Amino acid sequence: MYIDFNRKNDCLIVKLIGELDHHSAEEVRVKIDDRIDRNNEEKLIFDFSSVSFMDSSGIGVIIGRYKKIMMRNGKVAIADVNSRIKRVFELSGMFKIIKVYETVEDAIEAM
């Protein structure tokens, strides 16, 4: 799992690349939390365009970052999710609390 961080319109964009599973979840959590804390981020967009696999550990990573951002009265969005990953999100009920957008640009505009 690789992570690419970008900023646009005061949003932290986290592009996840590879598999978000129990092997990578802790490292992903630590790196994202570090960036959130270091820059006092309040708007977070997860770019899932390059995620090939995700399990329940990935759900935990996303929910944890959601809670962290919500404690700052911020906003979280998920963008560019393929059909396999979208199914995992739907089964978890995640889309009931976090908005999903077709593209990162759509998410930025909505923030």
Side-chain angles (χ1 to χ4, degrees), residues 8-11 13 43 45 75 77 79 101 103-111:
K8 190 166 183 182
N9 295 2
D10 76 334
C11 295
I13 302 164
K43 295 179 181 176
I45 298 170
K75 295 180 179 180
Y101 296 92
T103 67
V104 171
E105 290 300 321
D106 290 345
I108 291 168
E109 286 179 29
M111 298 291 246

Side-chain angles (χ1 to χ4, degrees), residues 1-106:
M1 169 66 47
Y2 297 100
I3 306 171
D4 185 27
F5 294 101
N6 285 304
R7 289 193 56 74
K8 190 166 183 182
N9 295 2
D10 76 334
C11 295
L12 174 63
I13 302 164
V14 178
K15 182 171 186 168
L16 302 169
I17 304 162
E19 298 183 355
L20 181 53
D21 58 16
H22 68 280
H23 296 295
S24 61
E26 182 63 18
E27 180 183 0
V28 170
R29 183 190 67 75
V30 168
K31 286 181 178 179
I32 296 172
D33 279 355
D34 177 62
R35 188 62 63 107
I36 289 170
D37 292 339
R38 193 169 1 134
N39 299 330
N40 200 25
E41 301 289 352
E42 294 180 359
K43 295 179 181 176
L44 177 63
I45 298 170
F46 288 99
D47 178 352
F48 269 81
S49 60
S50 298
V51 175
S52 57
F53 175 82
M54 182 176 73
D55 65 10
S56 61
S57 299
I59 296 290
V61 169
I62 303 302
I63 289 291
R65 296 336 91 215
Y66 170 79
K67 288 179 179 177
K68 187 177 192 77
I69 293 292
M70 295 316 286
M71 287 176 55
R72 299 168 184 247
N73 293 316
K75 295 180 179 180
V76 177
I78 297 170
D80 206 346
V81 184
N82 70 42
S83 59
R84 287 183 311 226
I85 307 298
K86 189 175 273 188
R87 184 79 178 126
V88 174
F89 279 129
E90 288 168 348
L91 290 171
S92 73
M94 179 92 71
F95 291 155
K96 293 177 182 167
I97 60 170
I98 301 176
K99 291 198 179 220
V100 62
Y101 296 92
E102 288 293 317
T103 67
V104 171
E105 290 300 321
D106 290 345

